[in-house]
Amino acid sequence: MKKLSYALAAGTLFALSSLAVPAHALPAHPIANASVSGDVVNARYHYVPRRVCTVRTVVTRGYHGRRVVKRVRVCRVR
């Protein structure tokens, strides 16, 4: 019974002492670029324009007026 009361007293003392001490945290500094600050990694949304490619059929005239059919890949940035 004596050990139980010592444990309860120690727990109560520990709980009250943790309320009296302010919490330690990293300061909230505004960061201009996405760099590493302390142990916190700041991630930023990064948009990369996507390439959209299609295959078009191009018909031209070759030697002697013959029809030449080519498939050309045309890409554009979205």
Side-chain angles (χ1 to χ4, degrees):
M1 191 70 179
K2 192 189 256 186
K3 288 182 183 179
L4 184 61
S5 64
Y6 283 146
L8 186 60
T12 307
L13 185 64
F14 181 71
L16 291 176
S17 67
S18 67
L19 290 175
V21 178
H24 296 290
L26 284 176
H29 294 295
I31 298 174
N33 56 2
S35 62
V36 177
S37 140
D39 291 335
V40 180
V41 177
N42 296 317
R44 188 171 43 164
Y45 178 72
H46 185 67
Y47 174 73
V48 177
R50 197 167 63 99
R51 285 178 35 159
V52 177
C53 298
T54 58
V55 178
R56 292 184 182 169
T57 303
V58 178
V59 178
T60 56
R61 298 290 174 177
Y63 294 113
H64 310 293
R66 292 196 176 128
R67 190 171 180 219
V68 177
V69 178
K70 289 192 288 186
R71 292 188 174 257
V72 179
R73 185 176 182 179
V74 179
C75 296
R76 62 185 169 90
V77 178
R78 232 179 170 184

